[in-house]
Amino acid sequence: MAESSGNEMKKGLQRWNIVRQRGVFVGAFMLVLAVFIMAGTSRADRMRPAPIKKSKTQNNDVRRQRTDGNIVFCVPKGFICKDSVFAGCRIFLLLGESETEVTLNSGFDSDDSPEHINSIYSDLGGEEMEGYESTVVADVTKSDKRVTKCIRVRKYTGQGIVVYWRFAVLFDKATGKMCLVSAYDKGKGDYLEPLLESVRFNP
């Protein structure tokens, strides 16, 4: 009985690793997407790294801030941050507890229409995964004079595991820049809102 339970646990972990590998694929796609967004619209003067300024927001400890020149954001508590550069575009990977993985990058994109957001969402994986049932458990878009923010959360269930995919995109109307976030976790998503709230667009 104990052996059977152990085998089930191993199978569950293997399935979760497959889902995590999908997150790595999504991260790679985001990298390509970022390069595409920046192609033809970025200028050399826009690509100069911007100095990090201490935010007045309580959660934004300057020691946890990161920037790619387009945006500044604060790494959530409990996460470590790694980054890599490809074709001049910086991609951030945030790793948290309970195998939470967040990929974040920025680019130049001023199209905040529902159609465009839907196309990004679909391209990043907003669809069925083979062998899993999925349900959209959150879909919120807010827009003010400065920023359009869209958050969608899809819950995948099947084969003994539950995985949440969290998609978020911010469009800054003043600068024409965007920030794209794709995250996988097991259900504890309280890191996402503070992360998005910490994002500041450099002029």
Side-chain angles (χ1 to χ4, degrees):
M1 191 75 173
E3 185 177 351
S4 174
S5 176
N7 288 337
E8 283 300 312
M9 185 176 293
K10 287 180 182 177
K11 289 178 182 177
L13 288 172
Q14 288 171 351
R15 289 191 288 267
W16 170 243
N17 285 331
I18 290 171
V19 174
R20 289 181 66 202
Q21 287 170 8
R22 179 181 173 85
V24 173
F25 168 78
V26 168
F29 179 83
M30 287 176 69
L31 187 147
V32 175
L33 178 65
V35 172
F36 173 78
I37 289 169
M38 297 176 76
T41 57
S42 60
R43 299 195 310 247
D45 60 331
R46 281 177 154 179
M47 293 303 295
R48 287 199 301 265
I52 298 177
K53 297 180 181 179
K54 190 169 184 178
S55 169
K56 294 179 181 178
T57 305
Q58 223 175 20
N59 292 332
N60 288 2
D61 184 337
V62 69
R63 292 169 297 181
R64 295 189 288 118
Q65 287 184 354
R66 302 291 184 274
T67 184
D68 62 358
N70 294 325
I71 61 169
V72 177
F73 70 95
C74 190
V75 178
K77 290 181 179 178
F79 282 75
I80 62 170
C81 181
K82 301 179 179 181
D83 66 279
S84 58
V85 177
F86 178 78
C89 179
R90 189 172 297 277
I91 309 296
F92 296 95
L93 176 64
L94 283 60
L95 304 172
E97 298 172 354
S98 302
E99 300 180 283
T100 299
E101 295 184 358
V102 183
T103 309
L104 181 151
N105 70 303
S106 71
F108 295 94
D109 189 346
S110 58
D111 185 357
D112 63 351
S113 66
E115 294 79 12
H116 185 54
I117 292 173
N118 287 338
S119 70
I120 297 173
Y121 174 76
S122 297
D123 287 342
L124 285 181
E127 56 190 19
E128 302 293 332
M129 280 200 305
E130 187 176 349
Y132 293 85
E133 294 183 4
S134 70
T135 311
V136 175
V137 296
D139 186 351
V140 178
T141 300
K142 296 180 180 179
S143 187
D144 56 31
K145 291 181 180 180
R146 175 80 191 218
V147 174
T148 297
K149 176 171 70 173
C150 176
I151 300 174
R152 294 181 186 173
V153 181
R154 185 177 282 272
K155 178 182 179 182
Y156 291 96
T157 57
Q159 304 181 42
I161 64 170
V162 177
V163 178
Y164 288 78
W165 175 51
R166 303 180 196 276
F167 162 89
V169 60
L170 304 174
F171 295 91
D172 184 67
K173 298 170 186 177
T175 62
K177 297 175 183 177
M178 58 91 77
C179 175
L180 191 58
V181 176
S182 178
Y184 284 86
D185 60 60
K186 293 183 177 179
K188 191 175 180 181
D190 54 357
Y191 59 86
L192 184 62
E193 196 61 41
L195 173 62
L196 297 179
E197 288 296 322
S198 76
V199 174
R200 299 291 179 267
F201 290 88
N202 288 320

